[in-house]
Structure formats: structure tokens, C-alpha cells
Amino acid sequence: MIRDALVIAGKDLRLEARSKVAVSQVLPFVLAVVLLFGFALDGESQVLQRVASGLFWATVLFAAVLVVQRSAAVERADGVTDALRMTALHPGGIFLGKVVSLLAQLLVVDVTLGLAMVVLYDVALSGVLLLTTCALLGSVAVAAAGALYGPLVAGARHRDTLLPLLMLPVLAPVLLAGARGFEIALGRGVGGGWQWAGMLGIVAGVYLALGIAVWGPLLEDT
Amino acid sequence: MTQPVTPAAPEGSVAPDRSGALSTSSRGTRVLGALSLVGLVVLVLFSFAFSKPDAELGESIRIMYVHVSTVTAAYCLMLASAGFSIFAMWKRSQFADLAAHSTAEVATLLLGLTVVVGAIWGRMTWGVFWTWDARLTSTAILFLMYVGYLAVRSLPAGFRARSVRSGVVNLLAAAMIPVVRESVNWWASLHQNETALTLDPSISGLQYFTLMLSMVVFAVLAVWMVVHRFRVAWLEDQLSEVGLDAAIEARRKEAVGVVS
């Protein structure tokens, strides 16, 4: 299963590297969101620093919708789903491969967004280990949900509006736990930050387990 | 021209009435409907005439008789819907797939009612319709998840694809139910803790009786709605299959006409 996952992840990442959509469209979108929030909140650095944690995760979710939509559309348009159906690859491995591919793209988004907030909002980095853990676990949860929902709506007529409707509510726990974990890491919240990291881990584990369990029927019957 | 087609009735559930039209009603549903109607009238009497205002909540406790019952019925239906979805995916059962849809749709309606009624109660008690409380927010998210489920159900697809797609969404939504239920314990919350369904309920007497009566009435009402919704869904499926067969037959006849 792991070998199959690496094969699929390599294929998806090669596709993205050649198309450069993530670099040329998603990253500029992320920077635009950071700038727009700055304008919307009157550029007051104290306000921006206070809300940076929530803005970070909200932006990651919006960017994830774009990444997932793009990834699923490419597969559907080229008939890759049908080809995958006929391979002997393990369905769970295919799902994990998709998760790894989406995760790699989301981590690029995370780093770019984090740097943009440090530079533009003057956010002082602290609690780097907790920040990194939360970002990693939260991104795994987002990638797992995206890998599950992307193919599910890829063939639908109204997929562009349906995907956010499905993904964003499901990822609300990630937004909540990620934002709280970041706040505590940045010294703006109270309580134990690792509890929130633990919650992100549980959410990621649930979505990964569910994805591995249902990916086979999903690939077979949709 | 194709002849109008009549869908085949599933066994014992959707029978033609006296005029010959298909009906989703049966003796069982008529009894359930009558019980629901009588129960609602009795509930209104107990809620507004017999039951006294609460020492803490005052008159607003009357809203609780609806709020608690609708959310309890909604949770039960959501869990049932998740069970039906698992069965539908596992056994490829059309019955279970339609049952999952029917229960989820009625659950969404009841959950929406819970949110609206809760907002009215919040305005009376807290002075605002909405506050960013863990229970309120997670309930609203759960409601949106089921709206998403119904949107997936409405996508044009065959039975099997629809069953698997919507089943996945249903299971993810059901996974949120424990989070919503425990949110008042996990986070600091304005929302009340468990009131009635505990070993040590915080209300008693006629108020407790009225709340229990309300739960029974809304449970019967929910079952009545689910049975009717299931039969409508079954008819829709039958009609789409018969419609497809009729369309294929019509194209065949056209093709024969062109060839001859």
C-alpha cells in the first residue's frame, strides 16, 4: 500500500510541477488574501497580529478548496480515474498517494502564508515546535478530507460550488483547533497548546481511516 | 408519442388509493399521523396551559419543550441514517439507501428547527439571537454538513454511485455528532448541560412530564414524516427507471421508423 501511495503521489506531484498551477495561481491567491485582510482591518498591526492565527487557517482552507478542485478536475478530464480503476493498485494506497500529493502542496501554501504574515503583519514567531506540529497535522486533515471529497464531486455538474459546501463544514474542527494551537504557540492564548495539536491528530486520523476504508467503493462505483 | 407510465408500487407500501392514483398513505401512516396530530394538541395544552413557568428560565422554558425534542429526534435520525448508509454501501441495498436519504432529510429539517427555536430562546434569555458558543456553532456546522449531504443526493447518478457518494458524506457528518453533543463539556459554553436525559435530571414534576411527552410526540411525528418521505423517494426512483425505459423504447421506435 505504501509503495502504491508513493507511485500515485509521484505521479500527481509531477503533474503539478509541469502545470505549475499551484505556484502561478494558488500562491498568488494566498498572498492576495493576506493583503485584502490587511486592507479590510485598516492595516492595524495589533489587530492583524491578534487575528493572524484564525486568518492563517481560514486562508489555508480556501486555498485547499482550490488545490483539491484543480487536482480532481485534471484527473476527471484526462480519464485518469477510469485508468486507476483498472490498475492493480491498492485503493487505500491510491488514497494515501493523493493525500501525500495534496499535503505537499498545502505545506508550500503553509510556509508561504506564514512568511507573508511574518513580513506583512509583523507576527513574531514563537513556539515553533507547536506551530510546526499544528500546521503539519492540520494540513494532513485538510489533505485527507480533500482527497476524499475531490473525486466524489469531480464528475458533478455543480462541482465548483458543491466542493466548498462539503469541505468547509467538515474542516471546521481543523480551523478551530489549528487557530487555538497557533494562538497559544504565538503567546496570545491560554491553556495547553498540545491538546489542540492532539485534537488535530485525532481529526486527521479519523479522516485518513475513513478515506482508506471507503476509497475502494468510491473508486469502483462513482 | 409515449404513453404515460405508472411506476410499479413497492410491496405493501405505495398502493393506489380509491381514485386509482398512487398514494404514500397506508393504514399505519394514517394512525401515526392521527397520533401526531392529537399528540401535538395535547402538547400545546401541557406546554402553555398546564405547565408553570420555570423559576430560573421563566416563560422561555416553553420553548425548551420543542427545542430539546427536535434536536433529540434529529440526532436519532442522523445516527439511523448513518447506519442505513453503511448497510447500503455494504449490501448494495436500495431500500437502505432510500431510508438513509429519508431519515437524513427529516433530521435536517428538525435540526434547522432546533437552530431557529434555539435562536429565539437565546434572544429571550441572553439578549441576542446568536452567540459564538461551542454548542451553537458546532450545531450550525452539523446542519450545513447535512445540507451538503442532501446536495450530493440531488446530483444525477445511478443508484450505486449515489449510494456510495452520499454514504461517505453521511458518515463524515455523523462523525461530527459526538463533537456537537460533547461540546458543552469540552469547551466553556453558555449552553445548558444535559437537562433531561440523565440519571439526575435538573427538571421535575409537570415540566419533566411535558418534556418527555414532547419527545414522544416529536418521535412519532418524525417517524410519520420519514415513512412518507421514504415512499416518495421510492416512487421517484421507480419513475426515473420507468421514464428511462420509456425513453429508450421511444428512441427504438423512432429508429425502426427511419429504417423502414
Side-chain angles (χ1 to χ4, degrees), chain A residues 110-147:
Chain A
D110 288 352
V111 171
T112 308
L113 189 55
L115 287 174
M117 286 188 163
V118 167
V119 173
L120 299 173
Y121 295 176
D122 197 21
V123 174
L125 283 182
S126 59
V128 176
L129 186 60
L130 181 60
L131 275 181
T132 313
T133 310
C134 286
L136 187 63
L137 291 173
S139 299
V140 171
V142 175

Short mmCIF file of all heavy atoms in Angstrom, two decimals, chain A residues 110-147:
data_model
loop_
_atom_site.label_atom_id
_atom_site.label_comp_id
_atom_site.label_asym_id
_atom_site.label_seq_id
_atom_site.Cartn_x
_atom_site.Cartn_y
_atom_site.Cartn_z
N ASP A 110 1.30 26.64 3.37
CA ASP A 110 1.51 26.99 4.80
C ASP A 110 2.75 27.87 4.98
O ASP A 110 2.71 28.89 5.66
CB ASP A 110 1.70 25.71 5.63
CG ASP A 110 0.41 24.92 5.80
OD1 ASP A 110 -0.64 25.44 5.41
OD2 ASP A 110 0.48 23.79 6.31
N VAL A 111 3.85 27.43 4.36
CA VAL A 111 5.12 28.16 4.53
C VAL A 111 5.01 29.55 3.93
O VAL A 111 5.39 30.56 4.54
CB VAL A 111 6.29 27.36 3.88
CG1 VAL A 111 7.56 28.19 3.86
CG2 VAL A 111 6.51 26.06 4.64
N THR A 112 4.44 29.62 2.72
CA THR A 112 4.30 30.93 2.05
C THR A 112 3.42 31.86 2.88
O THR A 112 3.75 33.04 3.09
CB THR A 112 3.65 30.74 0.65
OG1 THR A 112 4.38 29.74 -0.04
CG2 THR A 112 3.65 32.02 -0.14
N LEU A 113 2.31 31.30 3.37
CA LEU A 113 1.37 32.11 4.15
C LEU A 113 2.01 32.57 5.46
O LEU A 113 1.87 33.74 5.86
CB LEU A 113 0.14 31.23 4.44
CG LEU A 113 -1.08 31.87 5.06
CD1 LEU A 113 -1.56 33.04 4.23
CD2 LEU A 113 -2.19 30.83 5.16
N GLY A 114 2.73 31.66 6.10
CA GLY A 114 3.40 32.00 7.36
C GLY A 114 4.42 33.12 7.15
O GLY A 114 4.44 34.10 7.92
N LEU A 115 5.22 32.99 6.11
CA LEU A 115 6.23 34.03 5.82
C LEU A 115 5.55 35.37 5.51
O LEU A 115 5.99 36.43 5.98
CB LEU A 115 7.10 33.60 4.64
CG LEU A 115 8.10 32.48 4.93
CD1 LEU A 115 8.81 32.04 3.65
CD2 LEU A 115 9.13 32.93 5.97
N ALA A 116 4.45 35.30 4.74
CA ALA A 116 3.73 36.53 4.39
C ALA A 116 3.20 37.22 5.64
O ALA A 116 3.26 38.46 5.76
CB ALA A 116 2.58 36.21 3.44
N MET A 117 2.72 36.44 6.59
CA MET A 117 2.18 37.04 7.82
C MET A 117 3.29 37.60 8.70
O MET A 117 3.10 38.63 9.36
CB MET A 117 1.36 36.00 8.59
CG MET A 117 0.03 35.74 7.90
SD MET A 117 -1.04 34.70 8.87
CE MET A 117 -2.62 35.02 8.08
N VAL A 118 4.43 36.93 8.70
CA VAL A 118 5.56 37.45 9.48
C VAL A 118 6.00 38.80 8.90
O VAL A 118 6.24 39.77 9.62
CB VAL A 118 6.74 36.44 9.47
CG1 VAL A 118 8.01 37.07 10.00
CG2 VAL A 118 6.37 35.22 10.31
N VAL A 119 6.08 38.86 7.57
CA VAL A 119 6.58 40.08 6.92
C VAL A 119 5.51 41.18 6.94
O VAL A 119 5.79 42.32 7.34
CB VAL A 119 7.00 39.75 5.46
CG1 VAL A 119 7.36 41.03 4.71
CG2 VAL A 119 8.16 38.78 5.46
N LEU A 120 4.29 40.85 6.53
CA LEU A 120 3.27 41.89 6.34
C LEU A 120 2.52 42.26 7.62
O LEU A 120 2.11 43.40 7.79
CB LEU A 120 2.26 41.45 5.26
CG LEU A 120 2.85 41.21 3.87
CD1 LEU A 120 1.82 40.61 2.93
CD2 LEU A 120 3.38 42.51 3.28
N TYR A 121 2.31 41.29 8.50
CA TYR A 121 1.58 41.57 9.74
C TYR A 121 2.50 41.75 10.94
O TYR A 121 2.02 42.00 12.05
CB TYR A 121 0.59 40.42 10.07
CG TYR A 121 -0.54 40.23 9.08
CD1 TYR A 121 -1.42 39.16 9.24
CD2 TYR A 121 -0.74 41.09 8.00
CE1 TYR A 121 -2.47 38.95 8.35
CE2 TYR A 121 -1.78 40.88 7.10
CZ TYR A 121 -2.63 39.81 7.27
OH TYR A 121 -3.66 39.60 6.38
N ASP A 122 3.80 41.55 10.70
CA ASP A 122 4.79 41.69 11.77
C ASP A 122 4.51 40.72 12.93
O ASP A 122 4.59 41.08 14.11
CB ASP A 122 4.81 43.14 12.29
CG ASP A 122 6.09 43.42 13.07
OD1 ASP A 122 7.08 42.69 12.88
OD2 ASP A 122 6.07 44.35 13.91
N VAL A 123 4.14 39.49 12.57
CA VAL A 123 3.89 38.47 13.60
C VAL A 123 5.23 37.91 14.08
O VAL A 123 6.06 37.50 13.27
CB VAL A 123 3.03 37.32 13.01
CG1 VAL A 123 2.89 36.18 14.02
CG2 VAL A 123 1.67 37.83 12.60
N ALA A 124 5.44 37.95 15.40
CA ALA A 124 6.69 37.42 15.96
C ALA A 124 6.55 35.92 16.18
O ALA A 124 5.64 35.48 16.89
CB ALA A 124 7.00 38.13 17.29
N LEU A 125 7.44 35.15 15.57
CA LEU A 125 7.34 33.70 15.69
C LEU A 125 7.81 33.23 17.06
O LEU A 125 8.84 33.68 17.56
CB LEU A 125 8.20 33.02 14.61
CG LEU A 125 7.62 32.99 13.20
CD1 LEU A 125 8.57 32.25 12.26
CD2 LEU A 125 6.26 32.33 13.17
N SER A 126 7.03 32.34 17.66
CA SER A 126 7.46 31.71 18.92
C SER A 126 6.78 30.34 18.97
O SER A 126 5.87 30.07 18.19
CB SER A 126 7.04 32.56 20.12
OG SER A 126 5.64 32.74 20.12
N GLY A 127 7.22 29.49 19.87
CA GLY A 127 6.64 28.15 19.96
C GLY A 127 6.69 27.41 18.64
O GLY A 127 5.67 26.86 18.19
N VAL A 128 7.88 27.41 18.03
CA VAL A 128 8.00 26.89 16.66
C VAL A 128 7.60 25.41 16.57
O VAL A 128 6.97 24.98 15.60
CB VAL A 128 9.45 27.10 16.13
CG1 VAL A 128 9.63 26.47 14.76
CG2 VAL A 128 9.75 28.58 16.07
N LEU A 129 7.95 24.63 17.60
CA LEU A 129 7.62 23.19 17.56
C LEU A 129 6.10 22.97 17.53
O LEU A 129 5.59 22.17 16.74
CB LEU A 129 8.24 22.49 18.77
CG LEU A 129 8.10 20.97 18.78
CD1 LEU A 129 8.77 20.34 17.56
CD2 LEU A 129 8.66 20.37 20.07
N LEU A 130 5.40 23.70 18.39
CA LEU A 130 3.93 23.58 18.42
C LEU A 130 3.32 24.09 17.12
O LEU A 130 2.41 23.47 16.55
CB LEU A 130 3.37 24.37 19.62
CG LEU A 130 1.85 24.32 19.81
CD1 LEU A 130 1.37 22.90 20.01
CD2 LEU A 130 1.43 25.18 21.00
N LEU A 131 3.84 25.22 16.62
CA LEU A 131 3.36 25.77 15.35
C LEU A 131 3.51 24.74 14.23
O LEU A 131 2.57 24.48 13.47
CB LEU A 131 4.16 27.02 14.97
CG LEU A 131 3.76 28.37 15.54
CD1 LEU A 131 4.70 29.44 15.01
CD2 LEU A 131 2.33 28.72 15.17
N THR A 132 4.71 24.15 14.16
CA THR A 132 5.00 23.21 13.07
C THR A 132 4.12 21.97 13.19
O THR A 132 3.58 21.49 12.19
CB THR A 132 6.49 22.79 13.13
OG1 THR A 132 7.28 23.95 13.28
CG2 THR A 132 6.91 22.05 11.87
N THR A 133 3.98 21.47 14.42
CA THR A 133 3.16 20.27 14.62
C THR A 133 1.71 20.53 14.22
O THR A 133 1.08 19.72 13.52
CB THR A 133 3.21 19.82 16.09
OG1 THR A 133 4.57 19.75 16.49
CG2 THR A 133 2.57 18.46 16.29
N CYS A 134 1.17 21.67 14.69
CA CYS A 134 -0.22 22.02 14.35
C CYS A 134 -0.38 22.17 12.84
O CYS A 134 -1.37 21.68 12.26
CB CYS A 134 -0.64 23.31 15.05
SG CYS A 134 -0.94 23.11 16.80
N ALA A 135 0.58 22.86 12.20
CA ALA A 135 0.48 23.07 10.75
C ALA A 135 0.52 21.74 10.01
O ALA A 135 -0.25 21.52 9.07
CB ALA A 135 1.62 23.98 10.28
N LEU A 136 1.41 20.84 10.45
CA LEU A 136 1.55 19.55 9.79
C LEU A 136 0.28 18.69 9.96
O LEU A 136 -0.29 18.19 8.98
CB LEU A 136 2.77 18.82 10.35
CG LEU A 136 3.14 17.51 9.64
CD1 LEU A 136 3.53 17.78 8.19
CD2 LEU A 136 4.29 16.82 10.35
N LEU A 137 -0.17 18.56 11.21
CA LEU A 137 -1.34 17.70 11.48
C LEU A 137 -2.61 18.29 10.84
O LEU A 137 -3.43 17.56 10.28
CB LEU A 137 -1.55 17.53 12.98
CG LEU A 137 -0.47 16.69 13.69
CD1 LEU A 137 -0.68 16.71 15.21
CD2 LEU A 137 -0.49 15.26 13.19
N GLY A 138 -2.75 19.61 10.95
CA GLY A 138 -3.91 20.27 10.33
C GLY A 138 -3.91 20.08 8.82
O GLY A 138 -4.95 19.79 8.21
N SER A 139 -2.72 20.18 8.21
CA SER A 139 -2.64 20.02 6.76
C SER A 139 -2.93 18.58 6.35
O SER A 139 -3.53 18.34 5.29
CB SER A 139 -1.24 20.43 6.26
OG SER A 139 -1.00 21.78 6.56
N VAL A 140 -2.51 17.62 7.18
CA VAL A 140 -2.84 16.21 6.89
C VAL A 140 -4.36 16.03 6.90
O VAL A 140 -4.93 15.38 6.00
CB VAL A 140 -2.19 15.25 7.92
CG1 VAL A 140 -2.71 13.83 7.73
CG2 VAL A 140 -0.68 15.26 7.79
N ALA A 141 -5.04 16.62 7.90
CA ALA A 141 -6.50 16.50 7.98
C ALA A 141 -7.16 17.14 6.76
O ALA A 141 -8.09 16.56 6.17
CB ALA A 141 -7.01 17.17 9.26
N VAL A 142 -6.68 18.31 6.37
CA VAL A 142 -7.26 19.01 5.20
C VAL A 142 -7.01 18.18 3.94
O VAL A 142 -7.92 18.00 3.11
CB VAL A 142 -6.64 20.42 5.05
CG1 VAL A 142 -7.13 21.08 3.78
CG2 VAL A 142 -6.96 21.28 6.26
N ALA A 143 -5.80 17.65 3.81
CA ALA A 143 -5.47 16.86 2.62
C ALA A 143 -6.32 15.59 2.56
O ALA A 143 -6.79 15.20 1.48
CB ALA A 143 -3.98 16.49 2.63
N ALA A 144 -6.54 14.95 3.71
CA ALA A 144 -7.34 13.71 3.73
C ALA A 144 -8.78 14.01 3.33
O ALA A 144 -9.37 13.27 2.52
CB ALA A 144 -7.29 13.08 5.12
N ALA A 145 -9.35 15.08 3.89
CA ALA A 145 -10.73 15.44 3.53
C ALA A 145 -10.81 15.82 2.05
O ALA A 145 -11.76 15.45 1.36
CB ALA A 145 -11.22 16.59 4.41
N GLY A 146 -9.80 16.52 1.57
CA GLY A 146 -9.78 16.93 0.16
C GLY A 146 -9.65 15.74 -0.77
O GLY A 146 -10.33 15.67 -1.80
N ALA A 147 -8.79 14.79 -0.41
CA ALA A 147 -8.61 13.59 -1.25
C ALA A 147 -9.89 12.76 -1.29
O ALA A 147 -10.16 12.08 -2.27
CB ALA A 147 -7.46 12.75 -0.71
#
